[in-house]
Coordinates of all heavy atoms in Angstrom, one line a residue:
M19 N 133.0 117.4 139.7 CA 133.5 118.7 139.7 C 132.9 119.5 140.9 O 131.7 119.7 141.0 CB 133.1 119.4 138.4 CG 133.5 118.6 137.1 SD 133.1 119.5 135.6 CE 131.3 119.5 135.7
N20 N 133.8 119.9 141.7 CA 133.5 120.7 142.9 C 134.1 122.1 142.8 O 135.0 122.3 142.1 CB 134.0 120.0 144.2 CG 133.3 118.6 144.4 OD1 132.2 118.4 144.0 ND2 134.1 117.7 145.0
S21 N 133.6 123.0 143.6 CA 134.1 124.3 143.7 C 134.2 124.9 142.3 O 135.3 125.5 141.9 CB 135.5 124.3 144.4 OG 135.4 123.8 145.7
L22 N 133.2 124.8 141.5 CA 133.2 125.2 140.1 C 133.4 126.7 140.0 O 132.9 127.5 140.8 CB 132.0 124.8 139.4 CG 131.9 123.4 139.0 CD1 130.5 122.9 138.8 CD2 132.8 123.1 137.8
K23 N 134.2 127.1 139.0 CA 134.5 128.5 138.8 C 134.0 128.9 137.4 O 133.7 128.1 136.6 CB 136.0 128.7 138.8 CG 136.7 128.3 140.1 CD 138.2 128.5 139.9 CE 138.9 128.1 141.2 NZ 140.4 128.2 141.1
L24 N 133.8 130.2 137.2 CA 133.3 130.7 135.9 C 134.2 130.2 134.8 O 133.6 129.8 133.7 CB 133.3 132.2 135.9 CG 132.4 132.9 136.9 CD1 132.6 134.4 136.7 CD2 130.9 132.5 136.6
E25 N 135.5 130.1 134.9 CA 136.3 129.6 133.9 C 136.2 128.1 133.6 O 136.8 127.7 132.6 CB 137.8 130.0 134.2 CG 138.3 129.5 135.5 CD 138.2 130.6 136.6 OE1 137.2 131.3 136.6 OE2 139.2 130.7 137.4
D26 N 135.4 127.4 134.3 CA 135.2 126.0 134.0 C 134.1 125.9 133.0 O 133.8 124.7 132.5 CB 134.8 125.2 135.3 CG 135.9 125.2 136.3 OD1 137.0 124.9 135.9 OD2 135.6 125.3 137.5
T27 N 133.4 126.9 132.6 CA 132.4 126.9 131.6 C 132.9 126.4 130.3 O 133.9 127.0 129.7 CB 131.7 128.3 131.5 OG1 131.1 128.6 132.7 CG2 130.7 128.3 130.3
A28 N 132.3 125.4 129.7 CA 132.8 124.8 128.5 C 131.9 123.6 128.1 O 131.1 123.2 128.9 CB 134.2 124.3 128.6
V29 N 132.1 123.1 126.9 CA 131.5 121.9 126.6 C 132.5 120.8 127.0 O 133.7 120.9 126.6 CB 131.2 121.8 125.1 CG1 130.7 120.4 124.7 CG2 130.2 122.8 124.6
Y30 N 132.1 119.8 127.7 CA 132.9 118.8 128.2 C 132.7 117.5 127.4 O 131.5 117.1 127.1 CB 132.6 118.5 129.7 CG 133.2 119.5 130.6 CD1 132.7 120.8 130.6 CD2 134.4 119.2 131.4 CE1 133.3 121.8 131.4 CE2 134.9 120.2 132.2 CZ 134.4 121.5 132.2 OH 134.9 122.4 133.0
Y31 N 133.8 116.9 127.0 CA 133.7 115.7 126.1 C 134.5 114.6 126.8 O 135.5 114.8 127.4 CB 134.4 115.9 124.8 CG 133.9 117.0 124.0 CD1 134.3 118.3 124.1 CD2 132.9 116.7 123.0 CE1 133.8 119.3 123.3 CE2 132.4 117.8 122.2 CZ 132.8 119.0 122.4 OH 132.3 120.0 121.6
C32 N 133.9 113.4 126.7 CA 134.7 112.2 127.1 C 135.3 111.6 125.9 O 134.7 111.7 124.8 CB 133.9 111.2 127.9 SG 132.5 110.4 127.0
A33 N 136.4 111.0 126.0 CA 137.2 110.5 124.9 C 138.0 109.3 125.3 O 138.4 109.1 126.5 CB 138.1 111.5 124.3
R34 N 138.2 108.4 124.3 CA 139.1 107.2 124.6 C 140.3 107.4 123.7 O 140.3 107.7 122.5 CB 138.3 106.0 124.2 CG 139.1 104.7 124.5 CD 138.5 103.4 124.0 NE 138.5 103.3 122.6 CZ 138.1 102.2 121.9 NH1 137.8 101.1 122.6 NH2 138.2 102.2 120.6
G35 N 141.5 107.1 124.3 CA 142.7 107.1 123.7 C 143.5 105.9 123.9 O 143.0 104.9 124.6
T36 N 144.7 105.8 123.4 CA 145.6 104.7 123.7 C 146.0 104.7 125.1 O 145.8 105.7 125.9 CB 146.8 104.7 122.8 OG1 147.6 105.9 123.1 CG2 146.4 104.7 121.3
L37 N 146.6 103.6 125.6 CA 147.0 103.5 127.0 C 147.9 104.6 127.4 O 147.8 105.1 128.5 CB 147.6 102.1 127.2 CG 147.9 101.8 128.7 CD1 146.6 101.8 129.5 CD2 148.6 100.5 128.8
G38 N 148.8 105.0 126.5 CA 149.7 106.1 126.8 C 149.3 107.4 126.2 O 150.2 108.3 126.1
A39 N 148.1 107.6 126.0 CA 147.6 108.9 125.4 C 148.0 110.1 126.3 O 147.9 110.0 127.5 CB 146.1 108.9 125.2
T40 N 148.4 111.1 125.7 CA 148.8 112.4 126.4 C 147.6 113.3 126.4 O 146.5 113.0 126.2 CB 150.0 113.0 125.6 OG1 149.6 113.5 124.4 CG2 151.1 112.0 125.5
S41 N 147.9 114.6 126.6 CA 146.9 115.7 126.6 C 146.6 116.1 125.2 O 145.7 116.9 125.1 CB 147.5 116.9 127.4 OG 148.6 117.4 126.9
D42 N 147.2 115.6 124.2 CA 146.9 116.0 122.9 C 145.6 115.3 122.4 O 145.5 114.1 122.4 CB 148.1 115.5 122.0 CG 147.9 115.8 120.5 OD1 146.9 116.5 120.2 OD2 148.8 115.5 119.7
P43 N 144.6 116.1 122.0 CA 143.4 115.5 121.6 C 143.6 114.5 120.4 O 142.8 113.6 120.2 CB 142.6 116.7 121.1 CG 143.1 117.8 121.9 CD 144.6 117.6 122.0
G44 N 144.6 114.7 119.6 CA 144.9 113.8 118.5 C 145.2 112.4 118.9 O 145.2 111.5 118.1
Q45 N 145.5 112.2 120.2 CA 145.8 110.8 120.7 C 144.5 110.1 121.1 O 144.6 108.9 121.5 CB 146.7 110.9 122.0 CG 148.1 111.5 121.7 CD 148.9 110.6 120.9 OE1 149.1 109.4 121.2 NE2 149.5 111.1 119.8
Y46 N 143.4 110.7 120.9 CA 142.1 110.1 121.3 C 141.3 110.0 120.0 O 141.1 110.9 119.2 CB 141.4 111.0 122.3 CG 142.2 111.1 123.6 CD1 143.2 112.0 123.7 CD2 141.8 110.3 124.7 CE1 144.0 112.1 124.9 CE2 142.5 110.4 125.9 CZ 143.6 111.3 125.9 OH 144.3 111.4 127.1
T47 N 140.8 108.8 119.8 CA 140.1 108.4 118.6 C 138.6 108.3 118.7 O 137.9 108.4 117.7 CB 140.6 107.1 118.0 OG1 140.5 106.1 119.0 CG2 142.1 107.2 117.7
D48 N 138.1 108.2 119.9 CA 136.6 108.0 120.1 C 136.1 109.1 121.0 O 136.7 109.3 122.1 CB 136.3 106.7 120.7 CG 136.7 105.5 119.7 OD1 136.0 105.3 118.7 OD2 137.7 104.8 120.0
W49 N 135.1 109.8 120.6 CA 134.6 111.0 121.3 C 133.1 110.9 121.5 O 132.4 110.5 120.6 CB 134.9 112.2 120.5 CG 136.4 112.5 120.4 CD1 137.3 112.0 119.5 CD2 137.2 113.4 121.2 NE1 138.5 112.5 119.7 CE2 138.5 113.3 120.8 CE3 136.9 114.2 122.3 CZ2 139.5 114.1 121.4 CZ3 137.9 115.0 122.9 CH2 139.2 114.9 122.4
G50 N 132.7 111.4 122.6 CA 131.3 111.7 122.8 C 130.9 113.0 122.2 O 131.7 113.7 121.7
K51 N 129.6 113.3 122.2 CA 129.1 114.5 121.6 C 129.3 115.7 122.4 O 129.1 116.8 121.9 CB 127.6 114.3 121.2 CG 126.7 114.3 122.4 CD 125.3 114.1 122.0 CE 124.3 114.4 123.2 NZ 124.6 113.5 124.3
G52 N 129.5 115.5 123.7 CA 129.7 116.7 124.6 C 128.5 117.0 125.4 O 127.4 116.7 125.0
T53 N 128.8 117.6 126.6 CA 127.7 118.1 127.4 C 128.1 119.5 127.9 O 129.3 119.7 128.3 CB 127.5 117.1 128.6 OG1 126.3 117.6 129.4 CG2 128.7 116.9 129.5

């Protein structure tokens, strides 16, 4: 992440989805706890 902006502030999660997973969080079944 470069040139960070105030609006980038958030908890960031990594997740695993199906090969064709979209932007819908429901397409992802495995999640980290966030950072």
Side-chain angles (χ1 to χ4, degrees):
M19 305 185 294
N20 298 325
S21 302
L22 283 161
K23 303 176 179 180
L24 294 178
E25 52 264 44
D26 295 318
T27 296
V29 176
Y30 284 71
Y31 301 88
C32 64
R34 186 185 70 168
T36 62
L37 187 61
T40 67
S41 60
D42 181 2
Q45 296 290 308
Y46 298 79
T47 56
D48 298 287
W49 294 82
K51 71 180 189 304
T53 185

